[in-house]
Every structure is written in C-alpha cells, then in structure tokens.
Amino acid sequence: MSILSSTRSILKGLSARLWSLLFRETVEQELDEEIRFHLDMATEKLMRGSLPPDEARRKALLEFGGVERFKERTREAQSLPVLEDPTRNLRVGLRRVASNPLHALAIVGTLALGIGANTAIFSVVDTVLLRPFPFPEPDRLVMVWETNRASGTSHEPASWPDVVDFRERTRTLSAIGPCGARLQPSRREKRLSG
Amino acid sequence: MAQSNADVLQGTLDMLILKTLLPEPMHGWGVSQRIQAISKDILRVNQGSLYPALHRLDGRGWITSQWGKSERNRRAKFYRLTDRGHSQLQTEEECWRRFSGAVDLVLAADGRAGS
C-alpha cells in the first residue's frame, strides 16, 4: 500500500469517527435500526422453523449475544477514543463501584495504605537526606561528646565547665557551643563542680 | 467433527465478509446467512462480532454502506466492497492459502523426520 493511499485511509477513518462523534444521535438510531432489522430477520427465520413468536424472539436475542455489549463494541470501532473515553470510562467506573462496593473498598484501602506508606517514608527521606542542614557550611560541623574513662562509656554529655574549657583551649575547631543543654544542674554536675 | 459448527476463527472474519460482499452489496443479516449457507452450516458468524467488524471495515475504507430496501421492502443497511477492499481481499486470500497450506503440510506429515 502506498503512503498516499494509507494516508487517505487514515483520513477517511478519522472523518468517519468525527462524523459519528458529531452526529451521535443519528448514528445511534441507525445502529438501532440495523440491529432491529437483523433481529427481525432472525426471528422470522426461527418462526419458519415452527417456533412460537415470543420464543423465536427470545432465541434470536440470545443468539445475538448481548445487544448492549455489541453496541458498545460497534461504537468503539467507529469512535474517537481520545475524546470520549474519559467520560465513558468514568461512567463505567462508577457503575462498577456501585455493583461491587466491597471490591471497590478493597482497592481504595490498598491505594490509601500505599499512598500513606509512601508519604511517611518520603517525609523521612526528605528531612534526613534531601533538605539541606539548616546551618551554613554543614560539612564543617561536628558534634563533640565526652568519654568516661573509668566506666568506658562513650557519647557522654559534657558538663558546662568542660564546655567552657574546650571552647577556650581548642585549636582544631573554630568555635564550640552547647546544644541540648540542661539548664537545671543535675546531681552529677553538682558533684563535678563541687 | 466433534462440534457441529464452529465460530469463525479470529482474524478470518474480515476476509470472509469481504469475500461475501464480492458478488453484490448485502446487509449484515445477509452476510451472516450466506457465510453459514456456503460453509454448509459449519461456520457460524457470531453476530456480536459481525457488526463491529462491518463498521471497522467501513472505517478502513474497504467497504461502504448505504441504506436501501431489503428483499421484502424493509429499510436495511447495505454494505458494498470498494476497490481498495477488493485488493485487500486478494492480499488476505493469498495469505490465508499460504497459511492453511502450511498447516495442512504439517498435519499431513506422518511423523517420520525428513522426506
């Protein structure tokens, strides 16, 4: 197939779809009429096979296999999916929710848990990894702890006099300040200073 | 055959419709009846796929549709093969013959390797 003719076929398909979008009423009516004709013919044929009229009609409908489903499929074959899918999908979605609320609830629950877990993890990652430390030149910042030589325990808080000593005598650090200080002197601090 | 009739094989429906419309324009009901009759009731066209297929072929420009009068003077939609549908049918027929010939060859092989 040449490029020209394939382009022409695409254009023709597109214009047919556009047509059916603009004149949906007519298209629907024609579709209805086409199906009705088919069902009538099928009914007649069955009646010739000596079935009573309503039985023949029922069988014809049965053989057709779901008129609504078929109309849906035919519309799909001739519609512009991009333009009408959102509203139709929404309608179908709502209908499904109404017909099976438990299933819908399970899905909503799953989504809620998923979104919740994500938000929780992200807020941790955000503060720990992504946000810059709220001090200038954070790479020069260190934390100083004391080690108790007698008991061997490290990461001990320093007493205020120690902090003052460190601050006055340090050559490694440009400045030292207390953080998380307890202003009320504890018993241990009292003993140290006494 | 274990089953008295078979649904039309997926993918061959388009070709069968084009072929059926080759001699003269026809409505959907006529197409389904003719396929069934010519295949001696072995092939049965599922109506739920027939009309979507007709509209699809129409959209591709292989057939066109027009409202007309049926044999018994009822309004019906008639489908007619276009020139492009004609050449499409030839392509699909060729493809099908090659394919079914190949399947026949495989089925006819008697199990001995080589020939």
Side-chain angles (χ1 to χ4, degrees), chain B residues 62-104:
Chain B
W62 294 339
I63 60 179
T64 56
S65 61
Q66 203 175 11
W67 285 90
K69 293 274 179 212
S70 79
E71 309 82 63
R72 261 174 289 152
N73 232 15
R74 270 198 56 176
R75 222 165 90 84
K77 202 173 184 183
F78 283 79
Y79 295 90
R80 191 172 55 79
L81 201 64
T82 61
D83 289 345
R84 297 210 10 252
H86 204 112
S87 57
Q88 175 66 23
L89 173 62
Q90 279 174 342
T91 319
E92 291 199 15
E93 264 192 86
E94 257 168 50
C95 255
W96 174 258
R97 282 190 212 291
R98 259 219 326 274
F99 177 75
S100 69
V103 172
D104 280 347

Side-chain angles (χ1 to χ4, degrees), chain A residues 154-174:
Chain A
S154 60
H155 287 75
E156 293 279 0
S159 66
W160 179 244
D162 281 349
V163 174
V164 174
D165 284 348
F166 288 148
R167 177 149 62 186
E168 280 167 5
R169 297 182 195 175
T170 181
R171 280 168 296 153
T172 323
L173 303 169
S174 58

Side-chain angles (χ1 to χ4, degrees), chain A residues 85-158:
Chain A
D85 265 356
T87 53
R88 200 176 65 201
N89 284 344
L90 195 68
R91 276 206 309 278
V92 171
L94 288 176
R95 232 181 292 146
R96 294 244 168 100
V97 168
S99 70
N100 199 345
L102 215 66
H103 187 224
L105 207 70
I107 292 170
V108 170
T110 312
L111 284 175
L113 281 177
I115 294 170
N118 258 309
T119 315
I121 290 172
F122 179 75
S123 52
V124 171
V125 170
D126 184 43
T127 36
V128 173
L129 296 176
L130 301 179
R131 283 256 179 95
F133 211 45
F135 300 104
E137 301 179 73
D139 53 321
R140 290 180 62 196
L141 214 56
V142 294
M143 202 157 188
V144 181
W145 296 93
E146 288 196 335
T147 300
N148 188 332
R149 279 191 189 149
S151 65
T153 48
S154 60
H155 287 75
E156 293 279 0

Side-chain angles (χ1 to χ4, degrees), chain B residues 6-20:
Chain B
D7 279 338
V8 169
L9 200 63
Q10 188 89 35
T12 58
L13 180 60
D14 288 6
M15 179 177 66
L16 293 179
I17 290 175
L18 294 177
K19 182 77 181 179
T20 312

Side-chain angles (χ1 to χ4, degrees), chain A residues 8-191:
Chain A
R8 208 187 296 142
S9 107
I10 290 169
L11 279 178
K12 176 154 193 301
L14 206 65
S15 67
R17 278 155 188 248
L18 210 61
W19 178 268
S20 76
L21 194 72
L22 294 175
F23 302 94
R24 174 171 278 198
E25 287 293 299
T26 344
V27 171
E28 286 284 298
Q29 277 169 13
E30 290 193 351
L31 207 56
D32 276 338
E33 196 174 348
E34 201 175 7
I35 298 169
R36 214 178 312 124
F37 175 76
H38 186 106
L39 287 175
D40 288 350
M41 299 306 282
T43 311
E44 271 179 39
K45 190 186 173 195
L46 289 166
M47 276 166 69
R48 279 202 298 280
S50 71
L51 270 181
D54 48 339
E55 181 68 13
R57 187 70 179 182
R58 206 184 60 82
K59 197 149 181 254
L61 275 167
L62 213 65
E63 275 178 9
F64 202 91
V67 172
E68 275 312 309
R69 193 177 56 107
F70 142 76
K71 276 164 77 175
E72 195 82 3
R73 284 180 60 192
T74 311
R75 268 182 235 130
E76 261 165 39
Q78 59 179 200
S79 62
L80 273 179
V82 224
L83 289 186
E84 43 187 5
D85 265 356
T87 53
R88 200 176 65 201
N89 284 344
L90 195 68
R91 276 206 309 278
V92 171
L94 288 176
R95 232 181 292 146
R96 294 244 168 100
V97 168
S99 70
N100 199 345
L102 215 66
H103 187 224
L105 207 70
I107 292 170
V108 170
T110 312
L111 284 175
L113 281 177
I115 294 170
N118 258 309
T119 315
I121 290 172
F122 179 75
S123 52
V124 171
V125 170
D126 184 43
T127 36
V128 173
L129 296 176
L130 301 179
R131 283 256 179 95
F133 211 45
F135 300 104
E137 301 179 73
D139 53 321
R140 290 180 62 196
L141 214 56
V142 294
M143 202 157 188
V144 181
W145 296 93
E146 288 196 335
T147 300
N148 188 332
R149 279 191 189 149
S151 65
T153 48
S154 60
H155 287 75
E156 293 279 0
S159 66
W160 179 244
D162 281 349
V163 174
V164 174
D165 284 348
F166 288 148
R167 177 149 62 186
E168 280 167 5
R169 297 182 195 175
T170 181
R171 280 168 296 153
T172 323
L173 303 169
S174 58
I176 289 178
C179 71
R182 270 174 298 179
L183 293 178
Q184 289 267 319
S186 71
R187 234 186 316 150
R188 200 164 136 258
E189 279 164 338
K190 237 186 236 164
R191 196 168 58 226

